[in-house]
Amino acid sequence: MRSLKLEAPKSLSQRVMQRLRQAIIDGEFALGAAISEEMVANAFGVSRTPVREAMGLLQAQGLVVIRPQVGSFVFTPSAEDIDALCTFRIALEPQAAELAFRHDRNSAIAAMSAAIAAMEPAVTAKDNIAYGRADAAFHETLFAHCGNRYLAESYQLVSGRVAALRTNLTSPIDVRTRTSFDEHRELLDLFARGEFAAFESLMTTHITNSGRVYAKALKVD
């Protein structure tokens, strides 16, 4: 007999958190921008309690900084943050790729191909939000199919910040050139052939160049 167990509904604070998270990632709130709890509560038609709880959840994800008696703000990384974030990604993403290849190669290739297919019209339309979402999906695929939940959970610690930096800082450049798009296509090709030394080299270059863009845009280099 099929299970009749009901899935627990998401709490109001979780729903507020998810909407705010996407708004930060999509650049509706700029890096460093203040987020008024009262404004958000009025916009959602809720009390300030779930908004305050949502802010706490976003702070745990590194997307929001809460300053007591001052307010809540979208994160702004320092030079050290950017360097550490890129080093973290360079260490994890090639490893996740090798595991995904061994664990679920065909599904990973299909998902990466779908992400690249979504990038092309975004480049044509100069749509940095659509490009950023497709770019994020490409990289998240490696972890979604790696078969190691600890590795996947580790990436989730930074995925929101990476996505927000990507949309706000690198995607506006990526949609004006085809460099990033071409690199993603080459990464997929190397992945499909199992050429992981070359994959790691290109991924390192890809992430390092993103870090340079972050630093230059934020004037922290």
Side-chain angles (χ1 to χ4, degrees), residues 85-96:
L85 181 62
C86 290
T87 299
F88 179 86
R89 291 184 62 198
I90 288 167
L92 259 64
E93 293 199 34
Q95 180 64 32

Side-chain angles (χ1 to χ4, degrees), residues 15-17 19-20 39-46 51:
R15 297 203 300 273
V16 172
M17 180 275 290
R19 177 63 187 92
L20 284 175
M39 177 197 73
V40 173
N42 290 337
F44 278 74
V46 298
V51 175

